[in-house]
Amino acid sequence: MEITLSKSLLIAVVLAPLVGSIIAGLFGRQVGRIGAQTVTILGVAVSCVLSSYVFYQLLWGGAQPFNQNVYTFFEVGQYSAHVGFMIDKLTAMMMVVVTFVSFLVHVYTIGYMQDDPGYQRFFSYISLFTFSMLTLVMSNNFLQLFFGWEAVGLVSYLLIGFWFKRPTAIFANMKAFLVNRVGDFGFILGIAGVLWVFGSLDYATVFANASDMLVNSQYSHIQVWSGAITLFGSSLQFTEAPVIWATATIICICLFIGAMGKSAQVPLHVWLPDSMEGPTPISALIHAATMVTAGIFMVTRMSPLFELSQTALNFVLFIGATTAFFTGLIGIVQNDIKRVVAYSTLSQLGYMTVALGVSAYSAAVFHLMTHAFFKALLFLGAGSVIIAMHHEQDMRKMGGLRKYMPITFITMWIGTLALVGTPFFSGFYSKDTIIEAAQHHAHVSSSWVATYGYWAVLGGVIVTSFYSFRLLFLTFHGKERFRDAHDDHGHGHDDHHAADAHADAHHADAHHGDAHHDDHGHGHGPHEPHETPWVVTLPLILLAIPSIFIGFFSIGPMLYGTDWAGHHAEHGIPGQVHSFFTGVVDFYDPARNTIGALAEEFHGPVAFALHGMMAPAFFLTVAGFLLAALFYLWKPELATKSRKTFAPLVSVLENKYGFDKLWIGGFAGGGIKLGKVSRAIDTNIVDGVVVNGSARLIDLAANLLRRTQSGFLYHYAFAMIIGLIALLGVLMHYLR
């Protein structure tokens, strides 16, 4: 008997966090702190349990994918807009990840925000964020996707600028808003292109007709330029023929530009590290573990469109590879513990994007899932350290914390081992799969982009390993430098190198918006660190478990259609004869299925890990570990020497390749200067010359005319005579 998912249950999944957010936000004073935290945690917990049940029904309960409209926005002619749900295995997995991470964030918030006057308000925000993410991932049409997309962005601005009196938070909010508008512009153009071609925004309709409409119809190509420019009536021909692009390429690139904004890809990545200005690490986690995955999810969902344009896929691959390697390099020179994890997020998002570009969509989502757990662990672990250090965030002022914070120490090591791709840990299975997919794509493709993508993700391995172990060694090992924290000159291994980095360490995470807590860890002598309360350590433990095991047990079922041990599905899992993503990610040409090609070499998670120990990525991981140990444990003086030796390169990395200056000083600053020029033109020319000038001219003429109105009869007679003479002169000139 066919099992159908309940519409009422799905509505409850979405609305439960919204109800909690409304109560905590609008009635926060009435319900108090206990009431706000209870109702929001309960709402997210209900959503998490129901999402898990939906996932179970789809995976093991025999339920069929759900696709129905719930509410109609409007109907105008042949166009209509709906609120609806498309629930398949991809959506259900995203629902579980979003709600589970959100639930742990809510619990963690009890400890981290206990002294903040905006306690209820913050619970309302993160619960509203959960609702927005669920609206996004559960949508069955492009319009609802866009509304969820913007709602997620809106709540992110509320979180970044939570302490709205802080100048750094205001600046970070502005940066996030500006950069995301660029992505949203491309995204909405892509949606408009879909509506123009298909006449519908419904996923099922668009995907079912994608090949016919974008390959075999009049809409398959569009002229973007005639090849000529017309100036002052004359035409200049620059190309022999008009420039014609494939419609699929234009639509997919526009959609991906939206993903670049949300998933923080170069050059639209600059907002994510600054998003830490909210209550770190909660705000950071919300962005890094859930929000930024929206772009990866979107491209995976749109895979039937992207598979029709190799140009668009090459563009995706190039952007992802660049992000994976070059943003990771910035993490090497960061001294703020949360910013190291933030740049790690950027790099890992690049890995996911590379997987999308090589048509390994399932590998991208697999890494999205594993990354959500160990990155959440790292952010919350960093927050635990910040609490213990009385809100000090500079790693140069830490050291030796392992004996004071054993739970945080162990869980941070687990998260780091997962992040760097240590065999048998979750991150290894997803990350190594992406590297193998990039290698396979480079082998079968003659494109230079494919080769660049493979070497970029391979180079990113040693970079990730180095800055990740650098964080561990500076924070938990070595000398207890926090005992000298009152010395503003610091005693870490690195030089004070940038004023903004110093400011970050001092201002970025005061527990209140007005920074009336004066316990930043300096100026009062050393503070004795301590393990954090159970509301902080419990989420760490719960996240450490999937960070170790989930990759091992899920790689076979999710990617290759086997059971967890690698046996074929028909023998291992009754009723499951296809891969996890069958019906979600399908290929017009089976030869393009990169993960399908790798399936021949998969013989279970144990064999996969043993094979990985012989691969270049493993040796690069070990090399990064040894380099970090050399620089920050065995020979710490080498760090200072190398920093001075490579000062020009360090300066480039500290300035983030100039992207901040490009966006803020270039685009935003250029926009401000253009506005000033426009205002000057408006004030001096339009208002001054045209408006005020014409008014003055009329006033002058009126004054002159008024002077002719003397009231004397002979003046009027004289004027009439003069006028008659002038009239006769004109008539004689034209009539003779």
Side-chain angles (χ1 to χ4, degrees):
M1 183 178 72
E2 184 176 299
I3 300 175
T4 305
L5 295 175
S6 169
K7 184 187 295 185
S8 301
L9 184 146
L10 297 175
I11 293 174
V13 170
V14 177
L15 294 185
L18 179 62
V19 172
S21 175
I22 292 173
I23 295 174
L26 299 182
F27 307 99
R29 293 183 178 180
Q30 286 79 7
V31 300
R33 289 177 167 240
I34 300 298
Q37 74 183 40
T38 302
V39 71
T40 51
I41 292 175
L42 183 62
V44 175
V46 168
S47 186
C48 184
V49 171
L50 295 180
S51 296
S52 301
Y53 177 71
V54 169
F55 187 68
Y56 170 81
Q57 287 286 82
L58 286 170
L59 199 60
W60 294 290
Q64 298 300 307
F66 180 94
N67 184 18
Q68 290 184 26
N69 293 324
V70 177
Y71 177 77
T72 300
F73 266 137
F74 63 80
E75 291 183 358
V76 180
Q78 60 180 335
Y79 301 111
S80 59
H82 307 277
V83 174
F85 300 136
M86 175 182 277
I87 312 299
D88 50 25
K89 292 176 183 177
L90 171 63
T91 301
M93 187 272 290
M94 290 292 299
M95 290 163 60
V96 172
V97 170
V98 168
T99 54
F100 180 70
V101 171
S102 179
F103 174 73
L104 295 182
V105 166
H106 278 69
V107 175
Y108 186 96
T109 299
I110 297 173
Y112 195 85
M113 300 293 290
Q114 61 182 343
D115 298 323
D116 198 282
Y119 191 81
Q120 297 98 312
R121 178 165 60 95
F122 190 78
F123 269 102
S124 177
Y125 288 173
I126 57 177
S127 197
L128 183 61
F129 181 92
T130 309
F131 161 75
S132 303
M133 275 297 300
L134 288 171
T135 302
L136 188 156
V137 300
M138 294 172 67
S139 64
N140 72 343
N141 62 85
F142 284 88
L143 188 64
Q144 184 180 334
L145 173 72
F146 182 76
F147 278 115
W149 196 272
E150 292 304 301
V152 167
L154 171 63
V155 183
S156 79
Y157 308 140
L158 294 174
L159 289 169
I160 296 170
F162 182 78
W163 290 317
F164 49 83
K165 294 182 180 179
R166 182 188 297 169
T168 52
I170 297 170
F171 178 77
N173 229 344
M174 181 193 71
K175 185 187 289 188
F177 182 83
L178 288 175
V179 175
N180 273 279
R181 294 293 70 76
V182 177
D184 289 349
F185 181 69
F187 189 51
I188 200 167
L189 284 178
I191 294 175
V194 169
L195 183 62
W196 173 66
V197 173
F198 296 93
S200 172
L201 294 176
D202 182 72
Y203 288 164
T205 303
V206 171
F207 299 156
N209 297 286
S211 181
D212 292 336
M213 297 300 295
L214 294 176
V215 178
N216 303 317
S217 76
Q218 59 180 336
Y219 299 105
S220 61
H221 291 80
I222 184 173
Q223 179 178 309
V224 295
W225 184 34
S226 64
I229 295 178
T230 302
L231 293 172
F232 306 109
S234 60
S235 181
L236 300 175
Q237 194 72 30
F238 288 89
T239 60
E240 295 182 359
V243 179
I244 298 175
W245 285 1
T247 305
T249 299
I250 298 174
I251 290 176
C252 290
I253 287 178
C254 287
L255 290 173
F256 181 68
I257 289 173
M260 288 168 61
K262 274 294 181 287
S263 291
Q265 298 294 290
V266 173
L268 303 182
H269 69 286
V270 296
W271 67 271
L272 184 59
D274 290 84
S275 69
M276 313 297 125
E277 286 300 329
T280 309
I282 304 169
S283 176
L285 173 59
I286 284 289
H287 289 91
T290 51
M291 173 185 171
V292 294
T293 62
I296 307 299
F297 166 81
M298 185 271 290
V299 176
T300 303
R301 176 64 77 198
M302 308 305 161
S303 59
L305 301 180
F306 280 83
E307 280 300 303
L308 297 174
S309 174
Q310 185 58 49
T311 303
L313 288 175
N314 285 340
F315 179 72
V316 172
L317 175 57
F318 178 80
I319 295 296
T322 303
T323 305
F325 182 72
F326 288 100
T327 59
L329 289 174
I330 302 176
I332 295 175
V333 301
Q334 298 297 312
N335 295 309
D336 187 323
I337 186 172
K338 61 183 173 53
R339 285 185 177 266
V340 176
V341 186
Y343 281 102
S344 164
T345 301
L346 288 175
S347 181
Q348 297 308 303
L349 286 167
Y351 275 84
M352 300 175 204
T353 306
V354 166
L356 298 173
V358 301
S359 297
Y361 305 98
S362 55
V365 177
F366 183 45
H367 193 49
L368 180 158
M369 179 192 70
T370 61
H371 175 265
F373 294 112
F374 62 74
K375 187 53 56 73
L377 172 58
L378 288 171
F379 268 120
L380 296 188
S384 180
V385 171
I386 293 170
I387 295 172
M389 293 299 299
H390 300 271
H391 307 286
E392 177 62 71
Q393 299 175 67
D394 194 335
M395 297 184 298
R396 297 167 298 181
K397 298 179 180 180
M398 300 179 186
L401 295 181
R402 65 184 186 276
K403 66 180 181 181
Y404 301 98
M405 310 177 67
I407 298 176
T408 302
F409 168 66
I410 294 171
T411 53
M412 283 286 284
W413 260 95
I414 291 172
T416 299
L417 291 175
L419 170 64
V420 302
T422 307
F424 295 102
F425 285 77
S426 293
F428 163 77
Y429 290 100
S430 54
K431 194 173 179 179
D432 248 47
T433 301
I434 292 175
I435 294 172
E436 289 193 7
Q439 183 182 21
H440 173 78
H441 183 71
H443 178 71
V444 300
S445 173
S446 58
S447 171
W448 67 268
V449 179
T451 304
Y452 169 71
Y454 171 63
W455 285 106
V457 294
L458 203 60
V461 172
I462 188 172
V463 173
T464 302
S465 178
F466 180 79
Y467 65 64
S468 298
F469 287 112
R470 172 179 179 264
L471 182 151
L472 285 179
F473 296 150
L474 284 178
T475 304
F476 296 102
H477 299 268
K479 178 185 175 183
E480 296 179 357
R481 296 180 301 278
F482 58 84
R483 300 196 180 280
D484 303 316
H486 60 281
D487 182 1
D488 284 340
H489 298 288
H491 299 281
H493 302 303
D494 298 321
D495 296 332
H496 283 272
H497 56 274
D500 61 338
H502 188 72
D504 285 341
H506 288 280
H507 300 295
D509 215 281
H511 224 21
H512 302 296
D514 56 1
H516 61 266
H517 260 4
D518 191 22
D519 61 352
H520 298 282
H522 53 273
H524 306 284
H527 293 279
E528 198 73 12
H530 53 84
E531 187 62 270
T532 45
W534 72 268
V535 289
V536 175
T537 55
L538 179 62
L540 296 181
I541 297 170
L542 293 178
L543 286 167
I545 297 171
S547 297
I548 300 174
F549 298 112
I550 197 167
F552 182 92
F553 288 103
S554 62
I555 182 173
M558 283 195 71
L559 299 186
Y560 304 114
T562 70
D563 67 353
W564 68 268
H567 303 123
H568 290 293
E570 57 266 27
H571 304 296
I573 305 177
Q576 184 177 329
V577 296
H578 303 291
S579 74
F580 183 89
F581 290 97
T582 299
V584 181
V585 178
D586 297 317
F587 294 87
Y588 302 109
D589 181 7
R592 292 183 57 85
N593 186 357
T594 306
I595 297 300
L598 299 178
E600 301 174 3
E601 305 296 326
F602 181 75
H603 303 291
V606 176
F608 187 88
L610 295 175
H611 175 266
M613 292 181 180
M614 300 293 107
F618 176 75
F619 295 105
L620 290 172
T621 301
V622 174
F625 168 80
L626 294 175
L627 280 173
L630 176 66
F631 278 77
Y632 299 99
L633 281 184
W634 304 329
K635 298 286 184 179
E637 66 275 7
L638 290 178
T640 303
K641 292 179 181 178
S642 61
R643 199 174 192 93
K644 293 178 179 178
T645 304
F646 299 101
L649 178 59
V650 171
S651 178
V652 170
L653 294 176
E654 287 176 348
N655 290 312
K656 306 158 193 171
Y657 307 110
F659 277 112
D660 273 4
K661 293 182 180 178
L662 174 66
W663 282 107
I664 304 305
F667 291 111
I672 292 173
K673 291 178 181 177
L674 183 62
K676 289 181 178 178
V677 171
S678 299
R679 183 175 180 178
I681 293 173
D682 182 64
T683 303
N684 298 322
I685 297 177
V686 178
D687 287 344
V689 177
V690 180
V691 178
N692 295 333
S694 60
R696 291 192 188 99
L697 182 63
I698 294 171
D699 186 59
L700 178 62
N703 286 331
L704 293 174
L705 186 63
R706 188 174 66 247
R707 293 179 182 275
T708 63
Q709 306 298 315
S710 65
F712 295 107
L713 184 60
Y714 63 87
H715 283 174
Y716 297 122
F718 179 75
M720 291 175 63
I721 292 169
I722 296 296
L724 285 172
I725 294 172
L727 179 61
L728 288 172
V730 172
L731 291 174
M732 289 175 65
H733 176 75
Y734 287 101
L735 297 177
R736 63 183 178 181

